[in-house]
Amino acid sequence: MKELLSERGEVETAPRGALHTFALLLAIPLFIGALTTLIQLLAINPYPEMTRGERLDSAEMCLQHADAQEPDCQDFTPVTLPHVTTLERDTTVVGAHYRLTFDRPASDDLQAFVAPRVTDHARIEVNGIRMSPNSEPDGPLWHDWNRPIYGALPEPVLRPGGNRIDITLTQSDIGRLALYPVYVGEADAIRLTWLSRFAFRTGMVRMNIGLAAILGGAFFALWRMNRRGQGLGWLPLAMAGATIFGWQLAYPNMTPPGSWWRFASILSMHGTAYCLYMFLRDFFQERSRLAFIAVHATMAVGLAILLAGQPVAGISATGASFIGVAIAIICILWILITTPLIARADRIALVLLFGLSASCAVTAWLDSFLVRQVVRLPLGQVAVTLLFAGISWTLVQWLVEIKRQRDRLSESLRDQVRAKSAELDEMYRALGRQKEKQVVAQERQRIMLDLHDGIGGQLVNTLAYLENSGRDDPVLRNALEDALGDMALMIDSLHSDLEISAALGMIRNRLEPLLDRHHARFEWKVEGDPRFDVPTRSNVLGMMRIVQEAITNAVKHSGADVITVQTGERDIWITDNGQGFDQDVEADRHPSESGLGLKGMRQRSSDIGISLEIDTSDKGTSVHLFW
């Protein structure tokens, strides 16, 4: 994550990156403006004609002044609805009186009227009879600017022919007086219109309040569970600001009295935008000082304008104070566009959600603070819903990524566990093999000691007795010497580590006393390390028996005084300079007469899978083992 951020930082510091950033920041307002225009072009007509009623969009209007005596409306001016009157600080206008006329319908069904949108307090009379609730002359003003007004028109109220509706709008503070088209018709159709407008305006705002409260609690719990970064602590504050501002819109008549609450509601809207920017800045680890300074500076300027209460460029102080909110929205979209921490498809979805939310908020701002009526359908309440959707989408993507990381970590841990388990199994097998080798080595040591101290000692004592008794028996002596040599070879094979060169060295040490007694010597040409295809102990022992038999036969029967042992990579030569022998006669001789015998040597070589060639003449004998 840090590497991605550092790479992005390097691009921004380059001249080309700075130009790209400036172009992107310039494109964001154009993008919001294009979305706003598209929304208004695609928006349905908010005041369509009715088949079972009449739309009244023409009226007569006169302004009421604070220093005039009642009634002061004598000169009415024709106007077209919607009609807006802006109240400034230096004006004495406190109200606007509208007069609308309609003909009594021929239907006998119950008639009703609905004023879908009025601003601010509305006093409605039909043919001189007061029809609007909460409009006592001496009571507090009832705010009607965010809910449609519905009223039934019973039979006694209506006159044959022409009828008149008088609507008097008053404002408790500096702001706007606005009247939009009024509908008169059958009560069922009018009530349906009233319900749809109430659901779209007041109902959606109240739904947003509930969502803000629920999401605020959820975000607070999420922040308590994870306080290490991600900026989650800003979200409960943003939801608190949205709740305060939404309460002012949904329940204007249930707010504390005084202008301070209105100021607090506007301030909460600024706080919501600021907290949302800080959340996304920390969440996506965006560290642009320019954007950070711009948001704080414009927020401070906007609050100063709000406190001063002076209009700026023909826009009221409240409307001009939203400059900080606008810059925060631009920086929010910039963060979403440039962050590398989420996939491109998710970035596009988030940019569209937040962009649509900003565009809907722009429609509400234009409708509230511009003198001329340029917005067909203000969608401020939709902006808040889209904002909640964008925040929720961001956190859902974060949770999905956390789940993916957890799954990858779990899979990695499972792989490590499997690898470690395999290592442990191999270790246990190795320990088992090591223990088995130790047992075999101990058993081998015991056998060697038994052979050496038992049978070996008996053979040595027998041979010593034969020499000391004065009764020399050559056959018995040879048999004892062969038995001692064979036992020595067996003991050496138990010591051997299956290397042929080491086994040959042990044979040399064992047989040199025999050569000394017969006045012979070795010519040793064992070089390198011959390798056997299947180097088992039994195979090496069988090979060494053949070598031992060849050497002892040369010493005892050929009269040779030089015995040569030579090795190659895959063969062994045993040659002597003796008198040789007749192979046919020797092959027919019983092994008990001359040791192992040629038949036994050939059989053993065949058993262990090697080849044996014997070449003999009066100049000596050559035994060749190869494989």
Side-chain angles (χ1 to χ4, degrees):
M1 184 178 293
K2 291 181 178 179
E3 293 176 356
L4 291 172
L5 292 174
S6 63
E7 291 176 2
R8 188 178 63 187
E10 292 175 1
V11 172
E12 291 176 358
T13 56
R16 183 179 179 183
L19 181 61
H20 179 268
T21 301
F22 177 76
L24 185 60
L25 290 174
L26 184 62
I28 290 175
L30 298 177
F31 171 69
I32 295 176
L35 280 179
T36 304
T37 304
L38 181 63
I39 290 173
Q40 293 305 308
L41 291 176
L42 298 178
I44 61 174
N45 184 5
Y47 305 104
E49 297 286 349
M50 292 185 61
T51 57
R52 298 165 56 189
E54 180 183 1
R55 184 186 68 185
L56 307 179
D57 53 8
S58 297
E60 295 178 322
M61 186 272 296
C62 73
L63 298 177
Q64 293 181 350
H65 298 270
D67 55 355
Q69 299 293 326
E70 291 288 346
D72 63 332
C73 278
Q74 302 296 329
D75 187 14
F76 283 88
T77 303
V79 295
T80 300
L81 305 182
H83 183 264
V84 178
T85 300
T86 303
L87 304 181
E88 302 294 345
R89 283 184 177 271
D90 55 353
T91 184
T92 60
V93 175
V94 294
H97 187 89
Y98 293 87
R99 181 177 295 169
L100 300 88
T101 59
F102 67 96
D103 294 332
R104 179 172 180 171
S107 174
D108 294 334
D109 294 332
L110 179 64
Q111 302 297 303
F113 75 93
V114 63
R117 188 179 179 195
V118 297
T119 303
D120 176 30
H121 173 74
R123 178 184 176 91
I124 302 176
E125 295 180 354
V126 178
N127 296 327
I129 301 175
R130 183 169 61 87
M131 304 299 298
S132 58
N134 306 308
S135 58
E136 296 295 336
D138 298 331
L141 293 181
W142 185 269
H143 300 286
D144 297 312
W145 46 265
N146 198 42
R147 67 181 185 89
I149 300 176
Y150 170 82
L153 298 176
E155 185 71 20
V157 174
L158 297 178
R159 301 172 182 173
N163 292 265
R164 191 178 76 184
I165 300 178
D166 292 285
I167 301 177
T168 303
L169 302 181
T170 53
Q171 177 76 287
S172 60
D173 198 354
I174 298 171
R176 291 157 33 110
L177 299 174
L179 179 65
Y180 295 78
V182 178
Y183 290 90
V184 177
E186 295 182 9
D188 292 342
I190 295 299
R191 183 171 179 82
L192 182 60
T193 301
W194 172 73
L195 289 174
S196 62
R197 298 304 173 90
F198 186 89
F200 181 71
R201 292 181 59 82
T202 309
M204 184 170 286
V205 174
R206 293 179 181 179
M207 180 192 71
N208 289 335
I209 293 176
L211 287 175
I214 295 172
L215 291 176
F219 294 155
F220 179 77
L222 189 61
W223 170 71
R224 287 294 300 265
M225 290 187 295
N226 184 13
R227 298 187 182 183
R228 296 177 298 178
Q230 281 86 38
L232 297 177
W234 294 104
L235 286 180
L237 298 177
M239 294 302 102
T243 303
I244 295 173
F245 187 78
W247 189 273
Q248 174 71 13
L249 294 177
Y251 305 101
N253 301 297
M254 298 178 62
T255 58
S259 59
W260 68 270
W261 175 260
R262 184 170 178 268
F263 176 81
S265 65
I266 297 174
L267 189 62
S268 66
M269 188 63 180
H270 290 68
T272 299
Y274 175 77
C275 292
L276 183 59
Y277 163 74
M278 293 300 294
F279 158 68
L280 293 175
R281 179 177 182 270
D282 293 343
F283 189 82
F284 292 115
Q285 300 185 13
E286 198 280 325
R287 292 295 180 263
S288 173
R289 293 185 59 84
L290 179 61
F292 183 78
I293 294 173
V295 170
H296 285 78
T298 52
M299 280 285 181
V301 171
L303 293 179
I305 294 174
L306 183 62
L307 291 173
Q310 297 297 327
V312 178
I315 302 175
S316 67
T318 303
S321 69
F322 278 85
I323 180 176
V325 176
I327 298 300
I329 292 174
I330 292 174
C331 291
I332 286 172
L333 290 175
W334 182 73
I335 291 173
L336 295 176
I337 293 172
T338 58
T339 179
L341 303 183
I342 54 177
R344 177 175 297 179
D346 296 330
R347 270 189 286 172
I348 293 175
L350 287 175
V351 169
L352 285 177
L353 278 175
F354 281 93
L356 287 172
S357 176
S359 300
C360 293
V362 169
T363 63
W365 184 88
L366 294 174
D367 181 72
S368 300
F369 301 109
L370 286 188
V371 177
R372 297 183 59 186
Q373 195 71 23
V374 297
V375 177
R376 296 181 61 192
L377 183 63
L379 298 171
Q381 65 275 22
V382 180
V384 179
T385 305
L386 292 174
L387 179 65
F388 293 162
I391 296 173
S392 301
W393 184 282
T394 303
L395 292 179
V396 166
Q397 293 303 312
W398 174 56
L399 294 175
V400 168
E401 182 60 27
I402 288 178
K403 183 180 182 301
R404 289 173 182 168
Q405 293 178 1
R406 186 194 65 183
D407 293 341
R408 289 194 294 266
L409 180 60
S410 299
E411 184 62 27
S412 176
L413 290 176
R414 283 194 292 269
D415 293 341
Q416 293 182 17
V417 168
R418 285 194 291 266
K420 294 300 180 182
S421 298
E423 291 180 6
L424 288 175
D425 292 339
E426 181 62 28
M427 185 180 297
Y428 288 144
R429 287 193 291 269
L431 290 174
R433 291 192 296 268
Q434 185 67 26
K435 186 175 182 180
E436 181 180 353
K437 289 181 180 179
Q438 291 178 355
V439 173
V440 171
Q442 293 174 357
E443 185 65 17
R444 186 180 295 123
Q445 184 69 23
R446 184 189 64 79
I447 293 173
M448 287 190 298
L449 291 175
D450 290 343
L451 289 175
H452 186 273
D453 297 339
I455 299 175
Q458 295 176 8
L459 290 175
V460 171
N461 291 335
T462 302
L463 187 59
Y465 173 77
L466 183 64
E467 292 176 350
N468 296 328
S469 64
R471 292 178 292 179
D472 190 11
D473 186 345
V475 176
L476 181 59
R477 176 187 293 277
N478 289 336
L480 291 173
E481 289 178 351
D482 290 342
L484 281 171
D486 195 44
M487 186 189 67
L489 182 61
M490 292 174 61
I491 294 174
D492 290 342
S493 67
L494 294 175
H495 276 295
S496 174
D497 55 0
L498 303 183
E499 291 184 359
I500 296 176
S501 58
L504 291 173
M506 292 181 180
I507 288 179
R508 178 180 181 179
N509 292 333
R510 296 290 187 180
L511 295 182
E512 276 188 344
L514 176 64
L515 268 66
D516 290 341
R517 288 196 298 270
H518 291 82
H519 307 289
R521 63 181 178 83
F522 275 122
E523 187 171 329
W524 202 257
K525 296 181 180 181
V526 177
E527 298 177 356
D529 186 12
R531 296 294 179 182
F532 196 53
D533 292 335
V534 186
T536 62
R537 293 186 181 276
S538 60
N539 288 346
V540 174
L541 177 60
M543 184 185 296
M544 292 304 105
R545 284 182 181 275
I546 297 173
V547 172
Q548 182 180 0
E549 181 67 16
I551 295 174
T552 54
N553 286 340
V555 172
K556 295 180 180 180
H557 304 296
S558 69
D561 59 355
V562 178
I563 298 174
T564 303
V565 178
Q566 184 176 359
T567 61
E569 185 177 354
R570 296 178 64 84
D571 59 357
I572 301 176
W573 292 85
I574 302 98
T575 58
D576 62 70
N577 59 353
Q579 60 187 3
F581 62 92
D582 188 344
Q583 293 194 52
D584 295 334
V585 175
E586 188 67 25
D588 295 334
R589 183 176 298 179
H590 194 274
S592 61
E593 300 178 8
S594 60
L596 184 61
L598 293 181
K599 288 184 178 181
M601 293 172 65
R602 295 185 187 279
Q603 182 63 40
R604 192 176 292 278
S605 65
S606 177
D607 291 341
I608 62 179
I610 64 175
S611 299
L612 172 65
E613 289 184 355
I614 300 176
D615 186 17
T616 182
S617 66
D618 55 358
K619 295 182 180 181
T621 302
S622 173
V623 178
H624 185 205
L625 298 174
F626 58 94
W627 55 91

